[in-house]
Amino acid sequence: MPEKTISVCDNKIYEQLYREHAEKICYYLYYKYGDMDKAQDIVQDSFAKLWVNCSKILFVAVKSFLYKTANNASINAIVHQKTVLKYKDSKQKTYTNESPEFKMEEKEFLHRLNMAISGLKDGQREVFLLNRIEKKTYKEIAEMLEISVKAVEKRMHLALVILRKTIKTSNF
């Protein structure tokens, strides 16, 4: 049977591929990374990916698919482990230099700011949030809202004037 017509999705072919390649890939990973249990897990995962993608993979490409999948999974596991160790060693800050008064004032200010933003007209609020929160440029906002850049500038200017006035007059 020509190799191009052999289906990896056939159970017998899949089992044959497992018998031919699983142990070799496992030892390859073990020799390269030094962890037999992890190597066996990765081989199982690689064959599971092969089964999920069996209809997309040609029989002639199975070996390279398995080795590449297994090697990438090993590298990802090592990178993940290094990241975990890096953050495990760094001590998390459990205190703050901010006084309780500052925290209360900050909370009150954020409440007033949110109230002021909610008091803006729809167009002004939309432009303000897109620019200041989502970091969109005036040009991007203009394209999204299908208005001119000048209209965006005007809405933003009015929004800032209203916010300054509202927050300033709220005795803060």
Side-chain angles (χ1 to χ4, degrees):
M1 186 183 289
E3 288 185 349
K4 287 185 179 183
T5 61
I6 299 175
S7 172
V8 180
C9 296
D10 181 349
N11 279 333
K12 289 181 182 179
I13 300 295
Y14 183 80
E15 289 172 11
Q16 176 191 347
L17 290 168
Y18 186 85
R19 284 191 302 274
E20 285 179 24
H21 299 293
E23 188 176 10
K24 293 174 189 171
I25 295 171
C26 188
Y27 282 118
Y28 164 76
L29 294 173
Y30 174 66
Y31 294 143
K32 191 165 184 174
Y33 301 108
D35 186 346
M36 182 57 88
D37 290 335
K38 191 71 175 168
Q40 290 170 341
D41 289 345
I42 290 172
V43 167
Q44 293 300 318
D45 290 344
S46 298
F47 273 92
K49 283 185 181 178
L50 175 64
W51 184 252
V52 168
N53 295 299
C54 67
S55 62
K56 301 174 193 169
I57 299 168
L58 297 175
F59 181 79
V60 294
V62 168
K63 184 177 177 181
S64 62
F65 172 84
L66 288 169
Y67 273 90
K68 187 172 186 171
T69 302
N71 193 46
N72 288 345
S74 295
I75 292 169
N76 290 343
I78 290 169
V79 169
H80 175 71
Q81 187 174 7
K82 284 182 180 180
T83 305
V84 168
L85 290 174
K86 177 182 172 186
Y87 286 103
K88 181 181 176 191
D89 292 340
S90 68
K91 294 181 180 177
Q92 300 296 320
K93 183 177 173 183
T94 58
Y95 61 90
T96 178
N97 293 335
E98 298 161 350
S99 69
E101 293 85 17
F102 175 81
K103 289 195 141 311
M104 186 177 73
E105 288 174 1
E106 180 184 38
K107 187 175 179 181
E108 187 177 327
F109 175 77
L110 289 174
H111 175 73
R112 289 180 181 171
L113 177 62
N114 285 330
M115 293 301 292
I117 290 171
S118 66
L120 293 173
K121 292 181 181 176
D122 290 342
Q124 294 168 350
R125 182 175 48 253
E126 187 175 28
V127 167
F128 178 81
L129 294 174
L130 285 170
N131 179 255
R132 298 298 167 107
I133 305 300
E134 295 190 24
K135 306 296 185 203
K136 302 277 187 205
T137 65
Y138 286 0
K139 183 179 179 183
E140 290 172 329
I141 295 169
E143 289 172 3
M144 286 174 61
L145 301 179
E146 297 177 351
I147 58 175
S148 70
V149 174
K150 281 290 184 191
V152 172
E153 290 172 358
K154 182 170 179 138
R155 288 180 185 183
M156 184 61 137
H157 173 73
L158 291 173
L160 291 173
V161 167
I162 292 168
L163 289 175
R164 280 188 202 108
K165 190 185 302 182
T166 306
I167 292 172
K168 193 180 256 188
T169 59
S170 61
N171 296 327
F172 198 78

